[in-house]
Amino acid sequence: MSRVLLTGASGFIGTHVRKALHEAGHEIISLVRVPGETMIPYPGELFLTGTLAEAGVLEQSLSGITLDACIHLAWEGIPDYSSEPSIKNLEYGFRILRLCKQLEIKKLVISGSCWEYAEPSGMISENAPLSYKKPFQTAKNTLHAIAETFCRENGIACRWLRLFYVYGEGQRPGSLIPYVVRELRSGVRPVLGGAFNQNDFVHVADVAQAVCKSLDFIEGEISCLNIGAGQAVRVLDVVAAAARILQVNIDLALYEPPAVVTPPFWADIRAANERLCWVPHVSLEEGLERYIRFSDRESI
């Protein structure tokens, strides 16, 4: 069992990572802005209320506490990917690096994004070209590069996880799948600009397992891993699957393909398979069923 500091613990992915860490027997120290009314601590879990903007307060709160690892998931402001929040989150990432050094934390896992890649097409490996055209991409790729150098210099094992299209229970209402389910339930055909795009949809429970397994490092390891389902699925097929589960009739022929379709891309997950002994287990159909059951409970 290890003691893990988790940032972004009350967020969409963080909520599922907390559960996976608890089930794996880890002791959790969760950084949260304000614990939600339904956010009940697991046995032995400690809530630290605050943000990464309060670096001094966080360091003081953790003074005297031995930490084995840090999982940094927090990224404020999504879906705002503009310069200001990107710069702020980059600064927060630097604070996490300094915190790991000061508290002698020897394992660090950081969540990245498939949007770090430049013009992705087909199966994407971790060494594919990166992009610095947009603020979010620049911030993520800069943090990744500095984290690798910083951790190597300070004897910290580091894993950077590039997450693909994560979906599931607790996802932001404006995201694709919550929107599609909400519209279908209302008897409305979802308006989709990218109905023929193909994305790598990976369920949040599988992502949480990958994050949890990432704590099992080879000593001193510095690595980057793709975390996805390993296949691309048309958005239109997601709509069709959700409609089947909800038993809603929808005429998919009403969606007309655009003149130009974004090239499909998906994660090469062989490195994650090998290094983490991890494979995604939740199929898209099962993941949609889980989300729909969850949204049923939320509407009561």
Side-chain angles (χ1 to χ4, degrees):
M1 181 182 74
S2 59
R3 184 177 291 159
V4 182
L5 172 64
L6 176 63
T7 76
S10 59
F12 164 45
I13 296 174
T15 301
H16 293 266
V17 170
R18 284 179 59 235
K19 182 175 184 289
L21 289 171
H22 168 68
E23 290 175 348
H26 297 287
E27 187 176 340
I28 314 162
I29 298 179
S30 293
L31 179 63
V32 295
R33 281 177 173 274
V34 178
E37 293 179 2
T38 60
M39 195 173 179
I40 301 170
Y42 291 109
E45 181 181 15
L46 172 65
F47 284 161
L48 293 182
T49 303
T51 71
L52 289 170
E54 305 162 307
V57 175
L58 181 58
E59 291 167 9
Q60 189 174 17
S61 299
L62 293 169
S63 178
I65 297 176
T66 300
L67 288 164
D68 301 293
C70 174
I71 298 173
H72 179 43
L73 303 178
W75 193 274
E76 292 183 9
I78 290 175
D80 184 350
Y81 299 102
S82 63
S83 294
E84 187 172 339
S86 296
I87 291 170
K88 180 172 68 174
N89 281 289
L90 179 58
E91 291 172 347
Y92 291 169
F94 293 159
R95 289 175 184 173
I96 285 293
L97 295 177
R98 289 193 291 268
L99 186 70
C100 286
K101 180 179 179 180
Q102 289 175 325
L103 299 179
E104 298 183 345
I105 299 171
K106 294 303 181 184
K107 296 180 179 182
L108 174 62
V109 179
I110 305 177
S111 62
S113 167
C114 63
W115 289 112
E116 296 165 26
Y117 292 116
E119 299 179 359
S121 177
M123 186 168 72
I124 304 299
S125 66
E126 289 83 355
N127 59 4
L130 304 175
S131 176
Y132 291 82
K133 291 182 179 179
K134 297 180 180 179
F136 176 77
Q137 295 171 321
T138 300
K140 282 288 189 182
N141 285 322
T142 299
L143 178 58
H144 179 202
I146 291 177
E148 285 201 346
T149 301
F150 184 92
C151 289
R152 189 173 285 110
E153 289 177 350
N154 290 281
I156 300 169
C158 179
R159 277 199 170 125
W160 184 274
L161 304 182
R162 288 201 179 111
L163 310 182
F164 279 62
Y165 287 78
V166 187
Y167 74 98
E169 306 90 290
Q171 191 173 15
R172 184 171 53 84
S175 300
L176 173 67
I177 288 173
Y179 165 73
V180 165
V181 170
R182 192 166 58 249
E183 293 295 276
L184 290 174
R185 273 205 172 111
S186 300
V188 177
R189 182 170 65 90
V191 176
L192 299 169
F196 289 83
N197 290 350
Q198 297 184 46
N199 302 330
D200 185 329
F201 295 98
V202 58
H203 191 266
V204 66
D206 282 328
V207 171
Q209 286 300 318
V211 173
C212 191
K213 284 177 174 287
S214 290
L215 295 175
D216 299 326
F217 283 92
I218 299 170
E219 186 175 350
E221 183 179 2
I222 307 290
S223 62
C224 174
L225 300 173
N226 286 333
I227 304 299
Q231 62 180 348
V233 177
R234 286 193 315 169
V235 171
L236 203 58
D237 294 327
V238 174
V239 175
R244 283 196 304 273
I245 295 166
L246 291 165
Q247 299 182 337
V248 173
N249 292 322
I250 183 169
D251 187 359
L252 298 180
L254 294 173
Y255 291 99
E256 296 183 4
V260 179
V261 177
T262 303
F265 69 97
W266 60 94
D268 180 350
I269 57 174
R270 289 175 293 183
N273 295 164
E274 293 168 5
R275 291 175 181 266
L276 306 181
C277 297
W278 172 86
V279 291
H281 291 289
V282 182
S283 68
L284 181 60
E285 193 92 9
E286 180 186 349
L288 288 171
E289 288 176 352
R290 289 190 188 187
Y291 175 77
I292 288 168
R293 288 197 300 270
F294 169 83
S295 61
D296 284 339
R297 293 194 299 271
E298 289 290 292
S299 64
I300 295 174

